[in-house]
Amino acid sequence: MKILLEGKAKKIFYSKDKEILIQHFKDDATAFNNKRKKKFVNKGIINNDISANIFKFLNENKINTNFIKKINDREQLIRKVNIIPLEVVIRNYTAGSLCSRTGVKQGKKILPALIEFYFKSDKLGDPFLGEQHIEYLNLCNRKEIIEIKKLALEINTLLIKYFKDIKIILVDFKIEFGKLKNKFILADEISPDSCRLWDISSKKSLDKDIFRKNNGNLLEAYKNVSERIKKKYNEI
Ligand code: UDP
């Protein structure tokens, strides 16, 4: 199959149908704007599983996503959408760059959830964008920003419960949207690569912070998340 693009953790291929693409999950992990890189054997298989289960759950809960179905260990069929170059971050507890930027201690509950936007640009290092910058750059208009924020909060409410039911705290996560026929569609992936997930009792990280901080077994943690999902929600 012909490749459309290769990202840090995924490749996208064309399929026979021009409206459908194949999303392939790689084993590579990157952090600190590509400065740290490592391969974790089978990470791609675990993330394909986790993300497919989460997107299936969101589809079933009336969120429009680009996910169609998982087709093998590492790949899923997705609808082709025009990706909006924004990373939408939703935060329920303080962590990561929010703490370093504001000086607030990690682990404080945020209510209502904070929504932030970053410009999806490796060249610029994914800088933070205010809502007016998004309008100025013509990435979205005012009405669209409001719509994206509403969708992000709906997804957050669904996912907080989804993870709470498997004894995991959804600390924060990053999502991306595409547009198809003037409608916003959730795209990309939702996995421990793009979320902060803490075990409810030990508060230990079950996500990419293990790689960022080099303080544990990343694959074991990702597998743990995947197994909890399969046990509770049935495997795809
Ligand atoms: N995140 C992501 N991709 C990015 C930046 C952030 O998936 O390019 C996720 C990250 O895993 C975390 C959330 O978004 O779950 C918030 O990340 P933060 O802004 O704290 O940045 P970081 O600490 O990763 O620099």
Side-chain angles (χ1 to χ4, degrees):
M1 285 290 169
K2 224 181 102 194
I3 195 160
L4 170 64
L5 58 93
E6 175 156 10
K8 285 171 251 175
K10 292 190 295 295
K11 290 181 204 171
I12 309 282
F13 295 94
Y14 290 101
S15 77
K16 284 177 199 135
D17 184 330
K18 68 176 182 1
E19 288 172 12
I20 293 174
L21 300 171
I22 296 165
Q23 176 159 261
H24 174 107
F25 288 75
K26 306 195 292 184
D27 285 341
D28 308 69
T30 62
F32 310 118
N33 199 23
N34 235 347
K35 285 185 195 86
R36 185 181 296 175
K37 284 189 210 177
K38 199 174 161 183
K39 242 187 197 1
F40 292 92
V41 178
N42 291 343
K43 175 178 80 75
I45 295 175
I46 305 168
N47 275 356
N48 185 26
D49 239 8
I50 295 174
S51 196
N53 274 301
I54 293 175
F55 272 69
K56 178 172 167 270
F57 163 78
L58 292 172
N59 278 340
E60 287 164 359
N61 282 277
K62 300 191 170 60
I63 301 292
N64 292 314
T65 84
N66 69 344
F67 175 76
I68 302 170
K69 64 174 181 181
K70 189 179 151 187
I71 50 169
N72 61 47
D73 267 9
R74 286 187 184 269
E75 291 170 339
Q76 40 185 256
L77 291 185
I78 55 170
R79 249 177 289 279
K80 190 173 192 297
V81 296
N82 291 319
I83 294 284
I84 298 156
L86 280 179
E87 302 203 330
V88 183
V89 168
I90 300 103
R91 301 183 183 270
N92 297 306
Y93 287 84
T94 55
S97 72
L98 178 67
C99 296
S100 43
R101 212 169 346 111
T102 61
V104 178
K105 258 178 63 185
Q106 170 174 287
K108 297 209 174 296
K109 186 145 184 63
I110 307 173
L111 252 180
L114 255 182
I115 303 178
E116 297 174 344
F117 298 97
Y118 295 84
F119 195 6
K120 222 174 118 67
S121 160
D122 284 338
K123 198 176 77 194
L124 300 174
D126 295 347
F128 182 90
L129 287 183
E131 293 182 19
Q132 285 182 304
H133 297 94
I134 297 173
E135 287 182 76
Y136 168 69
L137 294 169
N138 282 321
L139 302 176
C140 292
N141 63 35
R142 187 76 229 132
K143 210 175 126 228
E144 290 173 326
I145 295 171
I146 292 169
E147 206 177 323
I148 287 181
K149 282 168 50 175
K150 185 167 163 266
L151 273 172
L153 287 181
E154 280 168 21
I155 293 164
N156 187 39
T157 303
L158 287 165
L159 291 187
I160 287 175
K161 167 111 177 44
Y162 184 89
F163 282 110
K164 186 167 177 236
D165 288 349
I166 53 171
K167 306 270 180 294
I168 288 174
I169 300 171
L170 177 61
V171 174
D172 59 31
F173 62 108
K174 183 269 298 177
I175 48 180
E176 294 177 26
F177 290 95
K179 252 193 153 177
L180 189 65
K181 293 173 189 148
N182 257 345
K183 246 180 31 199
F184 286 108
I185 312 279
L186 181 69
D188 195 50
E189 71 179 298
I190 299 180
S191 75
D193 272 2
S194 61
C195 303
R196 284 197 172 88
L197 305 169
W198 294 350
D199 177 82
I200 231 166
S201 32
S202 70
K203 305 284 188 298
K204 280 210 170 116
S205 291
L206 300 169
D207 58 64
K208 205 161 86 172
D209 266 352
I210 296 170
F211 174 56
R212 292 187 189 98
K213 296 179 181 170
N214 197 10
N215 67 350
N217 188 326
L218 179 131
L219 283 173
E220 281 310 311
Y222 281 38
K223 254 188 245 165
N224 184 323
V225 174
S226 174
E227 271 152 27
R228 290 192 207 194
I229 289 173
K230 284 182 189 175
K231 202 163 155 210
K232 174 84 187 168
Y233 299 109
N234 297 320
E235 182 178 358
I236 272 203

